[in-house]
Amino acid sequence: MSTEAPTLVSQSKAHGGTQFVYSHESTACGCTMTFAIFVPPQAERRPCPVLWYLSGLTCTHANVMEKGEYRRLAAELGVIIVCPDTSPRGDHVPDEPDNWQFGSGAGFYLDATAAPYAENYRMESYAMEELPALVAAHFPADMDRQSVFGHSMGGHGALTLALKHPERFRSCSAFAPIVSPTMADWSKPALRKYLGEDTAAHRRHDATCLVEDGARFSDFLIDQGTADGFLQEGLKPWLFAEACGKAGVPLTLRMHEGYDHSYYFISTFMDDHLLWHAERLV
């Protein structure tokens, strides 16, 4: 996979660090991909740990960059924040434009195996191999210290990638994650389209199933709002909590009265998550 220098789209000074947006040609996804990266002021003196933020359905790199309110504390803590896009994009990329739960903006952080999606929808390879290699090559990143978090579909991605690659990440957290896409109405059809009808393949992209099937991670933090309109049908955090409890996997699940699924919720608890990860990235 190419580690050619990415193309600068924008840069802005913030809290002594710099918020960048770059684009690059992705071999994994077969298209131009865009990502955001916040580099704290400490990076002028030494490599800094990396915290990956994975966004949710319909989002791009820009949602958390513009509304997540992470830069002040990330600058204080000396943590690089990388925000990939959520899917491949382009006129040649297969899509269902009228379906917000699939295709563009809905890559589910997996490598598709079913036609016609297998050629472009390789978000697990992109997030785990191609983009980390590019970050390591071109930014002052300490790749021995990485953590991951995300929201909704991105929370699903954070949980599953951490469980499948526990040696890569020192910590994992999530805001309102889809903890069991094999059981959620808005994600079951996407798994079938990306992966075919093989239910065993579906289980490998389901955090609850991964724990049930023996995957382990050091500990998790999940924040969930009780007023989230997707809570009962799409998110179901109790399923993951039950699986972690049976397996002895440490999980802190915090239910917050009156909070919904929006970035008002995420920004409220963003500092808690950054501090959680910073403690484990030392």
Side-chain angles (χ1 to χ4, degrees), residues 193-204:
K193 292 173 185 177
Y194 286 136
L195 303 171
E197 299 296 331
D198 181 4
T199 57
H202 299 183
R203 290 184 68 86
R204 291 193 290 272

Side-chain angles (χ1 to χ4, degrees), residues 49 144-147 169-173 217-221 250 252 272-282:
D144 290 329
R145 293 187 290 161
Q146 298 184 60
S147 292
F169 301 112
R170 294 198 180 185
S171 53
C172 176
S173 71
F217 195 72
S218 55
D219 58 348
F220 294 103
L221 169 65
T252 301
D272 291 355
H273 285 245
L274 294 181
L275 290 167
W276 163 276
H277 291 292
E279 290 177 357
R280 291 156 175 80
L281 284 168
V282 294

Side-chain angles (χ1 to χ4, degrees), residues 23-268:
S23 66
H24 70 111
E25 295 306 310
S26 168
T27 303
C29 297
C31 66
T32 302
M33 296 291 285
T34 302
F35 67 96
I37 180 168
F38 176 72
V39 179
Q42 294 86 342
E44 295 179 2
R45 303 185 300 274
R46 55 175 170 77
C48 292
V50 179
L51 179 55
W52 300 87
Y53 180 89
L54 307 182
S55 291
L57 288 164
T58 75
C59 292
T60 69
H61 68 281
N63 295 73
V64 69
M65 183 181 75
E66 295 170 355
K67 297 181 286 187
E69 300 181 18
Y70 57 78
R71 277 172 290 271
R72 177 192 58 79
L73 188 53
E76 291 180 16
L77 296 171
V79 176
I80 291 172
I81 310 288
V82 184
C83 310
D85 201 351
T86 51
S87 76
R89 299 178 191 271
D91 293 340
H92 67 290
V93 175
D95 189 20
E96 293 184 3
D98 297 326
N99 183 1
W100 64 274
Q101 299 172 339
F102 182 76
S104 181
F108 279 91
Y109 304 99
L110 54 77
D111 284 355
T113 56
Y117 307 106
E119 183 174 349
N120 299 104
Y121 287 85
R122 302 184 65 242
M123 287 301 295
E124 182 170 0
S125 290
Y126 178 72
M128 290 300 302
E129 299 173 21
E130 185 172 35
L131 189 54
L134 187 150
V135 168
H138 298 287
F139 297 92
D142 182 352
M143 303 304 284
D144 290 329
R145 293 187 290 161
Q146 298 184 60
S147 292
V148 63
F149 67 151
H151 169 232
S152 194
M153 178 188 72
H156 140 80
L159 297 176
T160 57
L161 294 180
L163 285 163
K164 287 189 280 186
H165 305 276
E167 74 291 343
R168 170 73 66 90
F169 301 112
R170 294 198 180 185
S171 53
C172 176
S173 71
F175 302 97
I178 306 172
V179 303
S180 186
T182 62
M183 299 292 291
D185 291 342
W186 61 355
S187 48
K188 286 188 290 187
L191 293 184
R192 288 196 295 269
K193 292 173 185 177
Y194 286 136
L195 303 171
E197 299 296 331
D198 181 4
T199 57
H202 299 183
R203 290 184 68 86
R204 291 193 290 272
H205 299 284
D206 181 307
T208 300
C209 293
L210 283 167
V211 172
E212 290 174 346
D213 294 344
R216 297 292 181 264
F217 195 72
S218 55
D219 58 348
F220 294 103
L221 169 65
I222 292 177
D223 279 319
Q224 173 66 61
T226 63
D228 191 321
F230 302 113
L231 177 59
Q232 296 297 323
E233 298 301 322
L235 305 176
K236 307 180 181 184
W238 52 86
L239 296 177
F240 189 62
E242 181 179 359
C244 286
K246 289 181 178 178
V249 175
L251 165 65
T252 301
L253 172 60
R254 308 191 304 182
M255 302 297 296
H256 300 282
E257 189 68 30
Y259 284 91
D260 59 19
H261 200 68
S262 72
Y263 269 89
Y264 298 112
F265 159 64
I266 296 168
S267 63
T268 299

